[in-house]
């Protein structure tokens, strides 16, 4: 059933009360195909959990809320399973389901908000793991042809917070199912320093995947604001990838600047560190601001607007550019 002039307040984690001109939920590929046949001429926007979008205005056209559910084993081997999930499953619940069955690989990605269907969009990542590491395939409906197509990892062109669905194929496909190859023999990834420290605090020396998940949850809860309490969309900016030469120049002035190896001899800087160093951390402007514990997270304390958040992000980008000669890029999808 199509609802008109529908409030999206509960459907975006910033909590902005903007409207969808038309709003409809779908819970199957058949149902989705029928909606597309009827409304193909309308501009379409696919909504998952609304945890990586910034609404700056009402959305015209049709907002399609993905509610395709179901988790099933596609292949069951001695060492691994291929498990497929409907795109409308809640990501963290899917992670807990896999941990429960002893399937390893996504425990480091515990508590990331949003849907399974959005996980390939920006190749979600945290604590040393990205979904590209465990990705098997996805099925997505081609909006122009109405055909269901299968994409393997290579076709998804995964990179840091990137995929083909955010670039060349933006707005052209609706992801319906995502499948992962998960190990039955836990290959524990505790390389991210904070996990080791947290496990020590928990008194765990030989962690299983459930312990790792608990450690990650605990770290995340101590650092990131809960969107149910303070509106936010996680990291607002990506960590910038820059040349080694620029890092060397910056190190002359800031010897302690955090930097990590990236692809092809480039380096990744910590945007949170740059933003903090530039004096933005904890800054409040009216009802919005930069979070006090995590400078990468822009927040709505209630009563702010998406336009204000966008303007704040622009001011931060310009300031970081002038102070460090580094171009920050937004991670969040601006609507
Ligand atoms: P939405 O916000 O609903 O959509 C995001 C984009 O994907 C939109 O462009 C939308 O059109 C598109 N889209 C959604 N579903 C589909 C579909 N089925 N088919 C086609 N297009 C689709 N991200 C990380 O990578 N790592 C983190 O550690 C992390 N931590 C976070 C912490 C907090 C507190 C918050 C609020 C966010 C965090 N995020 C993180 C960002 C966010 O959780 C992820 O990007 C998540 O995958 C978004 O899922 P969603 O369902 O909410 O997507
Ligand atoms: N830092 C600061 N000040 C801050 C924030 C961070 O100096 O206010 C420094 C930290 O001290 C550390 C470095 O920046 O030296 C990195 O910080 P942290 O480990 O907290 O990670 P992050 O770069 O801030 C990234 C992801 C998160 C992900 C975590 C854990 C991006 C854009 N963000 O954050 O993802 O959960 O690592 O892996 O890559 C998201 O994408 O929404 C997100 C939350």
């Amino acid at each position: 059933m199509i609802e008109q002039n529908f409030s999206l307040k509960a459907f975006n984690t910033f909590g902005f009360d903007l409207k969808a001109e038309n709003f409809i939920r779908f819970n199957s590929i058949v149902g989705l195909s029928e909606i597309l046949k009827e409304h193909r001429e309308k501009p379409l926007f696919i909504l998952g959990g609304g945890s990586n979008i910034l609404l700056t205005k009402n959305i015209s056209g049709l907002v399609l809320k993905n509610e395709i559910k179901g988790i099933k084993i596609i292949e069951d081997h001695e060492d691994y399973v291929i498990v497929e999930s409907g795109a409308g499953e809640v990501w963290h619940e899917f992670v807990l389901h896999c941990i429960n069955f002893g399937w390893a690989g996504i425990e480091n990605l515990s508590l990331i908000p949003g849907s399974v269907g959005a996980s390939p969009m920006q190749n979600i990542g945290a604590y040393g793991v990205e979904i590209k590491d465990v990705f098997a395939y996805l099925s997505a409906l081609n909006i122009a042809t109405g055909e269901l197509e299968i994409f393997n990892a290579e076709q998804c062109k995964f990179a840091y917070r990137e995929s083909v669905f955010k670039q060349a194929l933006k707005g052209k496909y609706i992801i319906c199912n995502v499948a992962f190859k998960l190990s039955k023999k836990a290959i524990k990834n505790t390389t991210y320093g904070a996990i080791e420290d947290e496990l020590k605090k928990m008194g765990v020396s030989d962690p299983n995947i459930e312990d790792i998940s608990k450690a990650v949850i605990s770290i995340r809860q101590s650092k990131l604001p809960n969107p149910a309490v303070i509106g936010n969309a996680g990291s607002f900016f990506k960590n910038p990838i820059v040349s080694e030469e620029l890092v060397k120049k910056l190190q002359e002035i800031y010897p302690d600047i955090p930097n990590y190896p990236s692809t092809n001899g480039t380096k990744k800087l910590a945007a949170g560190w740059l933003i903090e160093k530039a004096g933005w951390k904890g800054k409040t402007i009216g009802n919005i601001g930069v979070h006090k514990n995590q400078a990468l997270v822009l927040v709505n304390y209630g009563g702010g607007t998406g336009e204000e958040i966008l303007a704040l992000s622009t001011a931060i980008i310009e300031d970081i550019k002038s102070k460090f000669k580094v171009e920050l890029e937004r991670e969040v999808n601006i609507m």
Side-chain angles (χ1 to χ4, degrees):
M1 190 194 68
I2 288 207
E3 295 176 76
Q4 273 150 3
N5 207 21
F6 182 87
S7 171
L8 295 171
K9 187 168 167 47
F11 295 84
N12 73 100
T13 55
F14 269 114
F16 294 131
D17 191 8
L18 286 157
K19 306 274 191 300
E21 186 183 7
N22 299 284
F23 179 92
I24 194 163
R25 300 161 200 261
F26 63 93
N27 58 18
S28 71
I29 296 175
V30 174
L32 173 62
S33 301
E34 278 166 13
I35 295 169
L36 288 186
K37 267 187 213 140
E38 216 176 307
H39 300 280
R40 206 184 294 280
E41 78 293 348
K42 289 195 176 82
L44 303 175
F45 178 73
I46 320 306
L47 185 63
S51 65
N52 207 20
I53 55 171
L54 177 75
L55 298 176
T56 59
K57 53 182 187 305
N58 293 328
I59 304 190
S60 54
L62 180 61
V63 172
L64 291 149
K65 172 85 171 83
N66 189 334
E67 294 185 350
I68 298 178
K69 299 279 186 186
I71 299 172
K72 60 181 180 212
I73 296 179
I74 302 296
E75 286 179 34
D76 194 353
H77 300 268
E78 200 184 324
D79 291 352
Y80 69 91
V81 284
I82 305 281
V83 57
E84 188 185 276
S85 167
E89 290 285 348
V90 171
W91 173 260
H92 181 59
E93 284 171 15
F94 175 65
V95 172
L96 294 182
H97 176 93
C98 295
I99 291 171
N100 210 18
F101 279 88
W103 304 330
I106 51 176
E107 55 284 354
N108 294 47
L109 304 177
S110 294
L111 212 64
I112 295 182
S115 59
V116 170
S119 65
M121 290 298 297
Q122 67 160 12
N123 176 30
I124 57 168
Y127 299 97
V129 173
E130 292 181 331
I131 66 142
K132 72 166 174 44
D133 305 330
V134 288
F135 180 87
Y137 64 86
L138 64 78
S139 64
L141 207 73
N142 181 326
I143 295 173
T145 65
E147 297 289 322
L148 196 67
E149 296 177 23
I150 305 292
F151 288 76
N152 62 25
E154 199 184 324
Q155 291 165 316
C156 291
K157 296 194 170 47
F158 290 126
Y160 165 63
R161 297 295 189 273
E162 279 298 346
S163 77
V164 73
F165 302 104
K166 252 186 125 174
Q167 297 293 337
L169 300 183
K170 189 176 169 149
K172 294 192 173 4
Y173 284 84
I174 301 173
I175 297 168
C176 296
N177 291 293
V178 189
F180 302 90
K181 182 179 174 182
L182 301 176
S183 174
K184 288 186 182 174
K185 297 191 174 151
I187 312 149
K188 294 164 219 163
N189 188 335
T190 56
T191 47
Y192 216 87
I195 299 185
E196 291 282 10
D197 297 344
E198 191 62 34
L199 287 167
K200 255 186 222 143
K201 260 197 246 166
M202 287 161 57
V204 178
S205 55
D206 182 21
N208 57 29
I209 54 176
E210 198 182 346
D211 296 323
I212 294 175
S213 169
K214 282 186 178 149
V216 167
I217 289 172
S218 170
I219 301 165
R220 292 183 69 95
Q221 284 173 335
S222 72
K223 283 194 172 186
L224 291 162
N226 177 353
V229 182
I230 301 176
N232 76 91
S235 299
F236 199 87
F237 305 96
K238 293 184 194 177
N239 284 326
I241 313 281
V242 300
S243 67
E244 200 159 357
E245 198 188 335
L246 179 59
V247 174
K248 280 192 184 129
K249 274 191 194 148
L250 288 168
Q251 275 171 330
E252 286 168 18
I253 315 165
Y254 312 103
D256 60 339
I257 186 167
N259 64 95
Y260 315 93
S262 184
T263 44
N264 301 326
T266 56
K267 295 267 174 151
K268 197 192 264 182
L269 296 177
W273 186 92
L274 297 170
I275 298 169
E276 178 172 350
K277 201 80 184 165
W280 290 95
K281 193 169 179 174
K283 221 172 216 183
T284 301
I285 301 151
N287 295 316
I288 62 154
V290 179
H291 193 250
K292 64 175 180 13
N293 299 336
Q294 225 313 350
L296 257 188
V297 180
L298 304 189
V299 293
N300 170 28
Y301 292 107
T305 68
E307 282 182 330
E308 287 168 348
I309 294 276
L310 186 61
L312 172 60
S313 71
T314 303
I316 292 173
I317 290 172
E318 283 168 3
D319 192 37
I320 298 304
K321 174 91 184 153
S322 80
K323 289 197 169 106
F324 303 100
K325 307 277 173 288
V326 172
E327 195 91 45
L328 288 187
E329 206 184 311
R330 294 179 185 91
E331 175 190 302
V332 172
N333 300 279
I334 314 294
M335 295 297 302

